Amino acid sequence: MLLNGGWLIDKIIEAYLHRIAAPDVYIMDSIVSKTIFTNGQINKLKNFDFSKYVAIVAPLNINDNHWCLVYISIITKTFSYLDPFGEKKRIANTMLKNWINFAQSNCSLESFEWSNYEMSHSIQKDS
């Protein structure tokens, strides 16, 4: 529970993900993930070697008030966008397209053929 009804901020989410993730899972910074999945480009990770990881987990803040998650399997070359309120195909497809644009500029990911993988998960009932 957050003190004084505070918001769940990126540093808390990222710290938690680092705490529970396996060492071979890359936890992407939420600011970097927002840039990649909304623009498809970022120079920061252009030369980063993702080949030593089995997966990438990226928290994603939408409209500064809603957290989603992107899970990318390096092993199966699949992209999953998870929204607690339920995924909209158009948004998931746009994010996949932006991921592909980013991956094509990264030496360790450029030759991969990416596909969308819909993960089942519970849906948040409140607004």
Side-chain angles (χ1 to χ4, degrees):
M1 176 179 238
L2 297 173
L3 297 176
N4 302 321
W7 289 93
L8 191 56
I9 62 170
D10 57 345
K11 297 305 172 202
I12 293 172
I13 290 173
E14 291 166 20
Y16 178 73
L17 290 172
H18 279 285
R19 179 76 174 109
I20 64 168
D24 57 356
V25 173
Y26 179 77
I27 306 300
M28 188 176 284
D29 176 276
S30 62
I31 295 170
V32 171
S33 71
K34 187 170 187 171
T35 303
I36 290 173
F37 301 118
T38 58
N39 299 332
Q41 293 297 323
I42 190 166
N43 289 329
K44 184 175 182 178
L45 295 174
K46 192 172 189 170
N47 296 315
F48 188 81
D49 184 8
F50 287 100
S51 67
K52 56 187 167 188
Y53 297 97
V54 297
I56 300 166
V57 173
L60 185 60
N61 191 306
I62 308 295
N63 298 326
D64 296 325
N65 66 3
H66 178 65
W67 286 100
C68 296
L69 186 78
V70 171
Y71 179 84
I72 299 165
S73 172
I74 303 296
I75 304 297
T76 62
K77 291 140 188 86
T78 54
F79 175 94
S80 298
Y81 167 66
L82 293 97
D83 185 334
F85 293 141
E87 296 75 37
K88 294 178 177 54
K89 257 194 188 336
R90 182 183 57 79
I91 293 171
N93 289 337
T94 298
M95 289 190 182
L96 173 59
K97 179 183 165 203
N98 288 337
W99 169 251
I100 291 169
N101 287 340
F102 167 75
Q104 288 173 343
S105 71
N106 178 281
C107 301
S108 63
L109 302 171
E110 65 185 345
S111 64
F112 290 7
E113 295 284 329
W114 296 97
S115 63
N116 197 17
Y117 177 75
E118 293 182 28
M119 284 188 180
S120 64
H121 61 88
S122 58
I123 302 295
Q124 186 174 333
K125 301 292 183 206
D126 66 331
S127 57

